[in-house]
């Protein structure tokens, strides 16, 4: 019986092809919009997570709170080597800690100038922030301790100063320092609005302190937290230690800020998921509109085929068989709309993710769920017309003109 109902449904759809296409248009648009929004939203979320992870997936950063210091009547106070050593010795749950300092400089190679940023760091700092040297090597312990003039460059610096030439071993002038290039960093992409993580030169921290900024100050601290420990607990211990070392009395605002990259990643991802769900929910309104169109056309179909229904009932067809026929027709219409919508969503998602430069994550479960949901809509919105057809009186139906 189900097979016969399916064949009859396909025959009716083919008989009124244009009307059927217009009928399922709302379902097509609704399914395509929902899947596209979810796919693009997931791609944006994944890309944001990747960008934040490129700064160090499980990292704490400590920076000076300039506003608090100025409000207290003093200039921003940087960190010291002793702070780094104390954190390393007294804070549990950390894998590594590194101090960093930076300066804006003009880098020169082979007569070409490029304005960039030089960052003084250590091997621990490179590891904490998930920087990878894909060509050459990182600093040695001896180079860090002695403050040797060696440098590792980012991809943007390499492209602008060396182009297609291998930079390893070549001389690079950074401000007033001349240093050989010992390594090239893997490309990391944008780290935020207007921030190019590849436009950088890394040098040993002591080299930058002695020869570029002229002080032993550390501008910020990066800390790699052991994944087995809770970031919030480590942050609390770190805050208490720094308040003690910086002699901040109770009730006064911290003159430093703790930035938890894991918390930022979770917060941003959660916000993006909520926004994606909200947009998808708004887009799904067109599914309701499409369902109303299904009800309307199915009611028209019942009216048009009243005599046909009366003949079937008169020669022995059961009411449930008539109901099944019209329900099957509604489900087939909605399923076809869902299938077309999935195909349209695939193309739109691929185009939008390429335009936005984010990951393309076309989830099969979402597509299957959308198809099943569109079929379910056929049952919901097709039931009233199917019930009306099944409830017709055979004699009245046969008299219908």
């Amino acid at each position: 019986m189900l097979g016969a109902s399916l064949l009859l449904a396909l025959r009716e759809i083919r008989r009124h092809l244009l009307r059927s296409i217009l009928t399922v248009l709302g379902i097509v648009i609704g399914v395509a919009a929902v899947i596209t929004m979810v796919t693009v939203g997931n791609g944006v979320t994944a890309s944001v997570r990747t960008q934040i992870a490129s700064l160090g997936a499980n990292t704490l950063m400590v920076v000076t709170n300039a506003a608090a210091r100025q409000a207290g009547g003093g200039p921003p106070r940087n960190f010291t080597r002793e702070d780094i050593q104390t954190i390393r010795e007294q804070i549990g749950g950390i894998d590594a800690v590194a101090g960093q300092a930076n300066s804006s400089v003009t880098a020169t190679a082979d007569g070409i100038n490029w304005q960039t940023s030089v960052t003084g760091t250590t091997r621990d700092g490179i590891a904490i922030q998930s920087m990878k040297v894909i060509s050459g090597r990182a600093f040695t312990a001896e180079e860090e301790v002695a403050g040797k003039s060696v440098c590792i460059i980012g991809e943007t610096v390499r492209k602008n100063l060396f182009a297609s030439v291998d930079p390893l071993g070549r001389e690079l002038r950074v401000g007033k320092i001349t240093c050989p290039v010992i390594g090239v960093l893997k490309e990391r992409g944008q780290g935020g609005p207007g921030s190019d993580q590849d436009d950088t030169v890394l040098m040993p921290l002591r080299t930058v302190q002695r020869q570029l900024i002229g002080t032993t100050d550390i501008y910020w601290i990066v800390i790699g937290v052991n994944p087995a420990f809770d970031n919030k607990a480590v942050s609390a211990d770190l805050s208490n230690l720094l308040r003690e070392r910086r002699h901040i009395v109770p009730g006064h605002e911290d003159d430093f800020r703790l930035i938890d990259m894991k918390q930022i990643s979770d917060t941003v991802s959660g916000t993006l998921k909520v926004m994606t769900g909200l947009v998808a929910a708004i887009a799904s309104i067109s599914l309701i509109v499409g369902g109303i169109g299904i009800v309307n056309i199915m009611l028209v179909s019942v009216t048009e085929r009243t005599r046909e229904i009366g003949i079937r009932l008169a020669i022995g067809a059961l009411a449930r068989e008539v109901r099944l026929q019209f329900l099957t027709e509604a489900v087939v219409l909605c399923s076809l709309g869902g299938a077309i919508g999935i195909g349209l969503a695939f193309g739109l998602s691929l185009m939008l993710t390429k335009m936005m430069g984010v990951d393309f994550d076309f989830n099969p479960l979402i597509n299957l769920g959308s198809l099943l949901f569109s079929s379910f809509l056929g049952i919901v919105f097709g039931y009233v017309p199917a019930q009306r057809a099944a409830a017709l009186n055979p004699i009245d139906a046969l008299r219908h003109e």
Side-chain angles (χ1 to χ4, degrees):
M1 183 61 196
L2 185 59
S5 299
L6 182 60
L7 291 175
L8 288 171
L10 292 173
R11 187 192 67 183
E12 289 300 323
I13 292 172
R14 186 175 58 184
R15 179 185 298 176
H16 305 285
L17 187 59
L18 181 59
R19 186 173 74 179
S20 298
I21 292 173
L22 295 175
T23 300
V24 301
L25 198 55
I27 301 295
V28 172
I29 294 173
V31 170
V34 171
I35 295 178
T36 301
M37 291 300 100
V38 172
T39 302
V40 174
N42 288 343
V44 171
T45 302
S47 295
V48 170
R49 279 187 174 274
T50 300
Q51 287 184 0
I52 295 176
S54 69
L55 301 173
N58 211 37
T59 303
L60 296 177
M61 297 181 67
V62 189
V63 299
T64 56
N65 188 350
R69 287 296 298 173
Q70 290 171 357
R77 180 168 44 155
N78 292 318
F79 305 99
T80 65
R81 296 173 187 170
E82 290 73 23
D83 290 330
I84 303 296
Q85 188 61 31
T86 304
I87 291 171
R88 184 179 289 116
E89 292 174 351
Q90 297 188 21
I91 299 297
I94 64 174
D95 290 331
V97 56
Q100 299 192 144
N102 72 323
S103 177
S104 180
V105 297
T106 299
T108 305
D110 297 332
I112 303 174
N113 295 331
W114 180 254
Q115 191 68 26
T116 187
S117 173
V118 61
T119 298
T121 187
T122 64
R123 291 177 299 167
D124 284 341
I126 293 174
I128 292 169
Q129 297 171 94
S130 302
M131 298 179 182
K132 294 183 179 179
V133 179
I134 59 172
S135 179
R137 62 176 179 83
F139 312 132
T140 64
E142 292 76 15
E143 289 169 340
E144 289 183 9
V145 173
K148 293 288 185 179
S149 298
V150 292
C151 57
I152 302 170
I153 62 174
E155 184 63 17
T156 299
V157 176
R158 185 199 67 77
K159 287 179 180 178
N160 285 279
L161 293 182
F162 297 100
S164 59
V165 179
D166 186 0
L168 293 182
R170 298 178 69 88
E171 294 293 326
L172 177 67
R173 187 166 181 81
V174 181
K176 61 182 180 180
I177 308 172
T178 300
C179 59
V181 178
I182 63 170
V184 178
L185 294 173
K186 181 181 179 181
E187 190 169 0
R188 304 171 75 199
Q190 295 293 318
S195 173
D196 183 0
Q197 296 184 86
D198 301 312
D199 190 6
T200 186
V201 176
L202 303 184
M203 300 183 72
L205 176 60
R206 290 192 177 183
T207 307
V208 173
Q209 288 175 327
R210 292 173 180 174
Q211 302 190 48
L212 286 180
I213 63 177
T215 71
T216 58
D217 285 356
I218 292 172
Y219 291 177
W220 75 94
I221 303 171
V222 291
I223 301 166
V225 180
N226 190 313
F229 287 77
D230 181 18
N231 280 32
K232 291 183 179 179
V234 175
S235 295
D237 292 342
L238 182 59
S239 178
N240 292 334
L241 176 63
L242 289 175
R243 286 183 63 89
E244 180 183 339
R245 286 191 56 79
R246 296 164 79 84
H247 307 292
I248 301 174
V249 298
H252 282 64
E253 185 182 0
D254 294 341
D255 63 357
F256 59 89
R257 289 191 298 120
L258 286 175
I259 302 172
D260 187 344
M261 302 308 297
K262 184 175 184 297
Q263 184 179 18
I264 291 175
S265 177
D266 292 343
T267 301
V268 172
S269 297
T271 302
L272 287 173
K273 286 182 179 179
V274 171
M275 292 300 298
T276 299
L278 178 62
V279 173
I282 295 173
S284 66
I285 293 175
S286 58
L287 287 172
I288 307 299
V289 176
I292 294 172
I294 295 290
V295 174
N296 181 47
I297 292 301
M298 292 302 298
L299 287 173
V300 171
S301 180
V302 170
T303 302
E304 290 178 345
R305 296 155 61 186
T306 299
R307 283 182 61 84
E308 174 190 329
I309 297 169
I311 292 171
R312 290 185 180 179
L313 291 171
I315 62 176
L318 300 176
R320 67 170 181 270
E321 294 172 343
V322 174
R323 185 187 302 112
L324 178 62
Q325 176 188 340
F326 281 88
L327 274 177
T328 302
E329 192 170 324
V331 170
V332 169
L333 276 171
C334 289
S335 298
L336 286 174
I340 296 171
I342 291 172
L344 180 60
F346 183 88
L348 287 174
S349 300
L350 188 60
M351 179 182 69
L352 289 174
T353 51
K354 282 189 176 181
M355 289 174 59
M356 298 172 65
V358 300
D359 297 335
F360 176 67
D361 181 15
F362 204 66
N363 193 324
L365 291 178
I366 295 175
N367 299 310
L368 179 60
S370 298
L371 183 60
L372 293 176
F373 184 71
S374 61
S375 300
F376 175 71
L377 286 178
I379 298 175
V380 173
F381 290 105
Y383 182 79
V384 171
Q387 182 61 30
R388 175 172 292 187
L392 286 175
N393 185 294
I395 297 175
D396 293 336
L398 288 170
R399 290 174 179 171
H400 183 78
E401 294 294 335

